Amino acid sequence: MHKKLVLIINSGSSSLKFLLINSKNYKKFLTGIVECLYLKNTNISWNTKNISIKNFYLKSYTTHQEALEFIVNDVLKKKMNIFNNIIAIGHRVVHGGKEIKNSVVIDLSIINIIKRSSCFAPLHNPVNLLGITTLIKIFPSLRKKNVAVFDTSFYQKLPETAYLYGIPYIFYKKYGIRRYGAHGISHSYIMKKSAEIINKDIKSINIISCHLGNGASVSVIKNGICIDTSMGLTPSEGLVMGTRSGDIDPSIIFYLYEKVNMKIKEIKDLLTRKSGILGLSEVTSDFRFSEKKYFFDKKAKRTVDIFSYKLVKYISSYFFLIAKEIDALVFTGGIGENSILVRKLTVLQLSNLGFELCEKFNNKNGFKSNFRISSKKSIPILVISTDEELEIAKETIRLIN
Ligand code: AMP
């Protein structure tokens, strides 16, 4: 039987992905997701070799804690009877602040650092932490077998030129204000998978990796090391995202405060929860909506065009950091893996740099797999299905061993 399984928890602001993986051979035993947390239609789906449950309705407005309890008590204990086979738990944590540089086994001091770093990732760190504390309570015997894998670890070697802001240096020294990056677990997986696909040693791989989901970021990797990334002190900087504005002139904040009489809390809410695709489309943060209406709805068109234009700006500036050495441009995340339109609009604007699509390949969507979408004469362009849970699992197994 499945003796030694590792449970992986990846909590986002409104969803929670989970994975049970065999610690010996890395075979996935169970994958699952809870979607629409805190909404009316919270639902759970999970898959094993023999069972596939799709969109099973949980109670309305389910919280993260209730979802975790359901996963453990109902799915793992009652339905699957594999509770006792779990030997360790791996958690995704978005921000490790200044102090944490690598994945770690969780103890009280780590919990305190994650808490302190919550101000840098307010939509993520608190729910990541909740996952940790809830599961330590449910599995007291695994107290010393909980591992935290941080998105910020991937950016430890960013050069000072990339991570410092143009503000007085003392603010970095005293308060840790610098660019930390995010989505590092996904970009790390993409880097390794690209090396495998291209058949190149990871130490010499040069790619631009675009993680385009509800959160979105671009990272440029030179010789297997990330040298710049679009997210900053918090996951708010960079591209236009589901509900986050991405880059803005900081003076907008002063203007809203001084002239529009908005409170700081309201401005924060505006820029993190009401902007981006939601704000531009004026309907929803769900990218599928704007994509579907692109050709006959003005608002949808501007949303997709702006999203794509900002992406082009990042890709082209990062291109010059690796230039002719580039091995591939990679798309991933819900939008990157699925939006034929975004990939097309983006690559069209990059034609001067040597990127060209093969339309036939680009139209080949809907598989959870990796494929090439560039023409023969183009710099390679790949679509890779990201797997943050597998990346967390590998780190967790490495540490508990
Ligand atoms: P993620 O955060 O990676 O799960 O990605 C979520 C985003 O991907 C949402 O904006 C979705 O609307 C978008 N998305 C998912 N499927 C598709 C699709 N088939 N076409 C375009 N966008 C999609």
Side-chain angles (χ1 to χ4, degrees):
M1 250 305 265
H2 315 279
K3 278 281 179 277
K4 299 199 165 163
L5 299 173
V6 175
L7 173 63
I8 304 301
I9 298 293
N10 180 356
S11 301
S13 46
S14 65
S15 69
L16 193 164
K17 293 182 189 155
F18 55 102
L19 163 71
L20 266 181
I21 191 166
N22 187 314
S23 64
K24 294 283 170 236
N25 57 15
Y26 296 102
K27 271 203 177 139
K28 289 182 179 177
F29 178 73
L30 180 150
T31 56
I33 183 165
V34 182
E35 292 176 288
C36 303
L37 287 164
Y38 306 96
L39 296 174
K40 247 186 175 165
N41 51 338
T42 312
N43 64 80
I44 182 168
S45 305
W46 75 90
N47 273 297
T48 68
K49 208 171 145 199
N50 305 317
I51 302 167
S52 179
I53 307 289
K54 252 203 142 1
N55 303 330
F56 177 81
Y57 170 72
L58 289 177
K59 77 179 189 52
S60 294
Y61 308 106
T62 300
T63 63
H64 277 89
Q65 179 154 348
E66 288 165 338
L68 285 166
E69 283 165 359
F70 184 87
I71 292 167
V72 176
N73 295 329
D74 289 72
V75 181
L76 306 185
K77 230 184 213 171
K78 283 192 204 140
K79 294 192 167 54
M80 305 290 303
N81 193 22
I82 44 172
F83 182 85
N84 292 324
N85 298 100
I86 297 170
I87 58 154
I89 305 168
H91 304 263
R92 176 196 183 185
V93 181
V94 167
H95 218 294
K98 226 172 143 180
E99 291 134 295
I100 299 182
K101 308 218 177 299
N102 288 303
S103 310
V104 283
V105 175
I106 298 169
D107 60 18
L108 197 59
S109 70
I110 300 297
I111 288 182
N112 285 330
I113 293 173
I114 298 171
K115 239 184 236 171
R116 276 204 299 279
S117 308
S118 286
C119 56
F120 298 143
L123 298 183
H124 299 94
N125 267 34
V127 293
N128 302 151
L129 194 58
L130 188 78
I132 293 169
T133 49
T134 305
L135 286 168
I136 287 178
K137 261 186 223 143
I138 297 177
F139 292 92
S141 62
L142 300 181
R143 189 175 210 98
K144 293 183 179 153
K145 298 282 182 188
N146 278 258
V147 170
V149 181
F150 294 84
D151 277 295
T152 44
S153 297
F154 191 58
Y155 305 109
Q156 293 306 315
K157 293 190 176 152
L158 282 188
E160 195 181 57
T161 41
Y163 74 67
L164 280 185
Y165 289 107
I167 60 174
Y169 189 68
I170 185 76
F171 286 86
Y172 162 62
K173 288 308 272 180
K174 202 165 170 189
Y175 303 107
I177 296 179
R178 53 159 281 179
R179 307 183 63 254
Y180 289 98
H183 282 153
I185 297 169
S186 174
H187 289 298
S188 171
Y189 176 85
I190 293 299
M191 172 181 81
K192 291 172 192 164
K193 198 75 197 170
S194 303
E196 207 181 295
I197 293 170
I198 296 164
N199 197 14
K200 204 170 171 191
D201 189 290
I202 198 134
K203 291 199 182 98
S204 58
I205 190 98
N206 301 308
I207 61 165
I208 297 174
S209 166
C210 309
H211 179 111
L212 312 176
N214 199 32
S217 68
V218 190
S219 286
V220 53
I221 292 149
K222 184 175 185 176
N223 295 326
I225 290 168
C226 181
I227 55 167
D228 206 352
T229 191
S230 60
M231 282 180 167
L233 174 73
T234 74
S236 295
E237 192 178 334
L239 301 173
V240 167
M241 303 178 222
T243 60
R244 284 169 259 166
S245 64
D247 297 333
I248 57 162
D249 180 342
S251 296
I252 292 175
I253 296 167
F254 315 136
Y255 185 88
L256 293 172
Y257 181 72
E258 287 163 1
K259 304 275 184 226
V260 188
N261 291 324
M262 285 177 75
K263 298 192 176 83
I264 291 295
K265 202 167 167 285
E266 289 169 339
I267 300 173
K268 203 169 167 184
D269 200 45
L270 175 84
L271 297 176
T272 55
R273 294 181 195 270
K274 294 183 180 151
S275 294
I277 293 160
L278 169 64
L280 287 167
S281 68
E282 297 185 306
V283 180
T284 170
S285 64
D286 189 333
F287 199 82
R288 282 165 285 204
F289 175 86
S290 296
E291 177 164 20
K292 232 190 235 161
K293 295 192 174 245
Y294 181 79
F295 292 102
F296 50 90
D297 180 302
K298 227 169 56 191
K299 291 181 190 174
K301 182 170 185 323
R302 76 170 172 228
T303 304
V304 176
D305 283 343
I306 294 170
F307 180 86
S308 171
Y309 179 67
K310 295 266 186 196
L311 177 60
V312 166
K313 278 175 59 167
Y314 268 100
I315 295 172
S316 43
S317 66
Y318 287 173
F319 176 83
F320 288 100
L321 298 178
I322 47 178
K324 286 198 181 118
E325 310 294 322
I326 188 166
D327 293 305
L329 168 67
V330 189
F331 290 96
T332 191
I335 301 171
E337 290 168 38
N338 296 296
S339 176
I340 293 169
L341 179 65
V342 160
R343 296 194 304 245
K344 183 173 171 173
L345 293 173
T346 305
V347 176
L348 269 176
Q349 295 172 81
L350 293 167
S351 61
N352 283 344
L353 300 182
F355 294 97
E356 187 184 76
L357 273 186
C358 166
E359 293 252 2
K360 193 173 124 207
F361 293 165
N362 189 41
N363 292 343
K364 176 188 141 191
N365 244 356
F367 305 98
K368 263 269 163 204
S369 63
N370 310 317
F371 51 103
R372 182 180 165 139
I373 56 170
S374 44
S375 72
K376 272 197 187 135
K377 64 175 196 195
S378 168
I379 295 165
I381 311 170
L382 305 173
V383 176
I384 298 181
S385 182
T386 197
D387 196 340
E388 292 170 313
E389 292 75 39
L390 182 61
E391 188 71 12
I392 301 166
K394 287 186 175 168
E395 280 293 276
T396 305
I397 294 164
R398 181 177 70 79
L399 279 180
I400 57 155
N401 283 339

